[in-house]
Amino acid sequence: MAKKKKKQYSIGLVPLLTLSISLSILLTVFLAGYFNLSPALKRFSDNVITVINTAFDSVENSHSTKPPVGSNLEVHYIDVGQGDSILIRTSQKNVLIDAGENNKGDVVVNYLKKLGIKSLDIIIGTHPHSDHIGGMDVVIDNMNINTVIMPKLPDNMIPTTRTYEDVLKSIQRKNLKITPAKPYDEYDLGGGAKLTILAPLTNLKGLNNMSVVSRLDFGECSFIFTGDIEKEAEESLLTNLKNIEILDVDIYDTPHHGSHSSSTAKFLKAVSPKAAMISCGQGNDYGHPHKETITKLSKITDEIHRTDLEGSVIIKCDGKTYTFESEKTKG
């Protein structure tokens, strides 16, 4: 699939920009009489130019990663029926985002074991609804886990469900702790891959809107993972992110299983994906994905993949191009 040219974005680079601007002012003064300067001052002026160019190059490429030769990335959208479970595999680390419903824990564990995975460096529970964290206790019990990331919820939103309690008990049994999802926190996944937390940025109504949103970068390849965010959370991202270009990615994890409550036109314009993934169950009671969402996605890309139609979908990336593989294409 052809790769679109991306604008690079930066985070926390205000000091660097301030330095560059200050140096630009100095440069202007020196250039006014550049050819009349002494050799020493002339060399100094040349050095100023080099510093400024280097500084702005750093801004432009601050989030660009260059994978080592031969390094590859895999993102598995695991078929867990009406739910979400996504595996990120690099040459060095494994990350699991969600684990489907309560009865899908063994499905996820068996999927991981078939790949030879015995440990997970990071496990992310996007939000405490059963179709996302229901199987997470089983995964935690059967895998070596390093880091658990979940959204920090206001007291009045903390669930009292058995599903949520089971996950917390599994975390306690393994002597783990929950790392709150903090926007702009970055996790080095090795092999040139980086995961950046984007949301939740503010407290919003409803657990769906408190979903952890994250971006994955690997060379020129980029993904966004969205949990079940709805219109309110999408608007929060568009309004409160330091730079909305961070939303501009190649692969769009369609929020809320393709519900019409998500994927607003404004949000899709900011993401402008080359391909979309939808995780949902065949013949589910919610009618996911909704026709309205498919229509909006079809106006942006003709590369739409669905776990209800294709089973588990694997996207492989070499840092420049993508390949798609699914249980359907295997068969």
Side-chain angles (χ1 to χ4, degrees):
M1 183 178 67
K3 173 70 177 66
K4 64 179 176 180
K5 185 176 179 61
K6 291 288 180 183
K7 293 181 180 179
Q8 303 297 331
Y9 62 90
S10 57
I11 299 175
L13 292 176
V14 173
L16 181 58
L17 286 170
T18 302
L19 172 62
S20 299
I21 293 169
S22 299
L23 290 173
S24 297
I25 295 171
L26 287 174
L27 177 61
T28 301
V29 174
F30 278 109
L31 288 178
Y34 179 78
F35 292 103
N36 295 321
L37 294 176
S38 67
L41 288 178
K42 197 170 184 179
R43 285 194 300 272
F44 179 76
S45 181
D46 289 338
N47 289 336
V48 170
I49 295 172
T50 301
V51 169
I52 291 174
N53 288 337
T54 302
F56 279 103
D57 284 344
S58 297
V59 172
E60 176 69 16
N61 299 311
S62 63
H63 209 80
S64 178
T65 57
K66 187 175 182 180
V69 176
S71 181
N72 288 286
L73 170 78
E74 293 182 3
V75 179
H76 298 237
Y77 297 81
I78 304 172
D79 180 14
V80 290
Q82 185 61 18
D84 267 34
S85 188
I86 300 169
L87 170 68
I88 301 170
R89 297 189 77 189
T90 73
S91 59
Q92 299 178 23
K93 295 185 178 182
N94 298 304
V95 177
L96 184 72
I97 302 175
D98 291 333
E101 268 286 2
N102 286 287
N103 62 346
K104 297 298 182 179
D106 288 332
V107 172
V108 176
V109 169
N110 290 335
Y111 190 97
L112 297 175
K113 287 184 176 180
K114 285 182 180 179
L115 295 173
I117 296 174
K118 299 179 180 179
S119 62
L120 294 166
D121 298 276
I122 300 173
I123 186 168
I124 299 175
T126 58
H127 64 294
H129 277 158
S130 62
D131 58 331
H132 288 255
I133 66 162
M136 190 168 290
D137 56 330
V138 177
V139 174
I140 293 172
D141 290 341
N142 287 274
M143 292 277 158
N144 295 319
I145 309 292
N146 185 26
T147 300
V148 179
I149 298 174
M150 298 182 76
K152 185 176 182 179
L153 302 172
D155 291 343
N156 64 344
M157 291 183 67
I158 296 176
T160 57
T161 62
R162 176 66 181 273
T163 294
Y164 188 56
E165 290 178 0
D166 286 345
V167 173
L168 295 181
K169 288 177 181 177
S170 290
I171 290 171
Q172 291 173 348
R173 280 195 296 269
K174 286 290 189 76
N175 294 316
L176 297 167
K177 64 179 182 179
I178 297 175
T179 300
K182 293 177 60 178
Y184 312 115
D185 275 2
E186 295 181 346
Y187 295 87
D188 183 357
L189 304 186
K194 182 186 294 183
L195 188 72
T196 305
I197 303 297
L198 304 184
L201 288 159
T202 58
N203 289 339
L204 299 169
K205 292 182 179 180
L207 290 176
N208 284 346
N209 284 317
M210 293 299 291
S211 293
V212 177
V213 177
S214 56
R215 171 180 171 129
L216 174 65
D217 285 276
F218 180 70
E220 298 177 14
C221 304
S222 55
F223 300 71
I224 192 169
F225 308 107
T226 58
D228 273 356
I229 60 170
E230 298 178 333
K231 296 175 183 177
E232 294 81 2
E234 292 178 358
E235 184 61 34
S236 175
L237 285 162
L238 292 170
T239 303
N240 297 312
L241 280 172
K242 294 177 182 178
N243 188 342
I244 65 169
E245 286 185 1
I246 198 173
L247 296 173
D248 186 11
V249 298
D250 300 313
I251 311 297
Y252 180 54
D253 170 33
T254 307
H256 203 183
H257 320 289
S259 171
H260 55 58
S261 65
S262 312
S263 298
T264 61
K266 188 176 179 181
F267 190 70
L268 285 174
K269 182 178 180 181
V271 177
S272 62
K274 295 294 291 184
M277 274 299 315
I278 302 175
S279 294
C280 60
Q282 191 170 22
N284 65 84
D285 295 336
Y286 305 96
H288 293 156
H290 289 147
K291 183 179 179 181
E292 299 96 311
T293 302
I294 295 297
T295 299
K296 285 187 286 187
L297 290 174
S298 298
K299 292 179 181 178
I300 297 174
T301 176
D302 57 1
E303 187 89 65
I304 301 173
H305 295 271
R306 299 167 46 172
T307 59
D308 62 329
L309 300 180
E310 301 176 61
S312 297
V313 177
I314 305 169
I315 301 176
K316 297 180 180 180
C317 177
D318 61 7
K320 291 186 177 181
T321 60
Y322 302 88
T323 59
F324 291 78
E325 180 182 286
S326 68
E327 292 177 1
K328 180 178 178 180
T329 57
K330 282 182 179 179

